[in-house]
């Protein structure tokens, strides 16, 4: 292109979002040293991610209830994080061998009404936690958790 300009549509948006979501994983100490993550026989790591998704959704819903002008901007996050919790619960049940649909975890306590920066911080932390969890997950679970991390990173940027 003239003047060394790069076309805006030269890199697909999904590739950029995936790269942003996986950058913390790729640059983590475990990835840089080449050490494989050790599988822990403790509780399923997706349980904490599902709880965080429910907490983020509740926090966002409380923010919309306190300031309805934010509904258009924040309600898509409520819907996304609610869907994340449902998908994580289904995956937890699948791995546990449950044939019945997974029951949602306990509803988070009603959060104190907060502001957009606090919601952004919560979603950023959730995305970071999901990105870190990818390192210890079996391959069949990585796609779900990485997409959740990417979604959280995207919403954090939109809220910022």
């Amino acid at each position: 292109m003239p003047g060394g300009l790069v076309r805006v549509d030269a890199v697909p948006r999904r590739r950029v979002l995936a790269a942003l979501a996986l950058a913390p994983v790729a640059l983590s100490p475990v990835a840089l040293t080449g050490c494989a993550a050790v599988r822990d026989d403790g509780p399923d790591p997706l349980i904490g991610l599902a709880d965080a998704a429910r907490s983020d959704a509740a926090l966002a819903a409380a923010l919309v209830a306190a300031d309805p002008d934010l509904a258009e901007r924040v309600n898509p996050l409520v819907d996304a994080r609610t869907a994340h919790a449902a998908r994580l619960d289904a995956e937890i049940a699948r791995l546990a061998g449950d044939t019945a649909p997974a029951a949602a975890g306990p509803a988070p306590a009603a959060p104190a009404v907060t502001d957009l920066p606090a919601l952004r911080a919560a979603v950023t932390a959730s995305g970071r936690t999901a990105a870190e969890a990818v390192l210890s997950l079996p391959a069949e679970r990585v796609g779900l958790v990485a997409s959740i991390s990417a979604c959280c990173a995207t919403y954090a940027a939109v809220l910022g």
Side-chain angles (χ1 to χ4, degrees):
M1 300 205 70
L5 297 177
V6 176
R7 286 185 16 211
V8 172
D9 61 348
V11 178
R13 182 177 68 206
R14 286 184 186 206
R15 183 173 292 165
V16 171
L17 292 175
L20 288 173
L22 295 177
V25 173
L27 298 176
S28 71
V30 171
L32 293 175
T33 60
C35 297
V38 176
R39 178 131 170 92
D40 184 3
D41 289 331
D44 191 326
L46 298 191
I47 294 171
L49 297 178
D51 291 344
R54 279 186 280 279
S55 177
D56 290 349
L59 184 63
L63 184 60
V64 169
D67 187 355
D69 291 339
L70 294 173
E72 186 176 331
R73 188 172 177 193
V74 177
N75 276 338
L77 173 63
V78 174
D79 296 340
R81 295 303 280 151
T82 301
H84 292 163
R87 284 287 296 130
L88 289 163
D89 287 339
E91 176 60 17
I92 292 164
R94 183 196 68 80
L95 191 65
D98 293 344
T99 57
V113 177
T114 186
D115 56 7
L116 276 175
L119 178 59
R120 182 177 187 270
V123 172
T124 299
S126 294
R128 188 176 309 116
T129 301
E132 291 167 358
V134 167
L135 295 172
S136 63
L137 294 175
E140 67 271 10
R141 296 176 119 191
V142 168
L144 170 63
V145 176
S147 68
I148 289 171
S149 177
C151 184
C152 288
T154 301
Y155 276 109
V158 168
L159 294 173

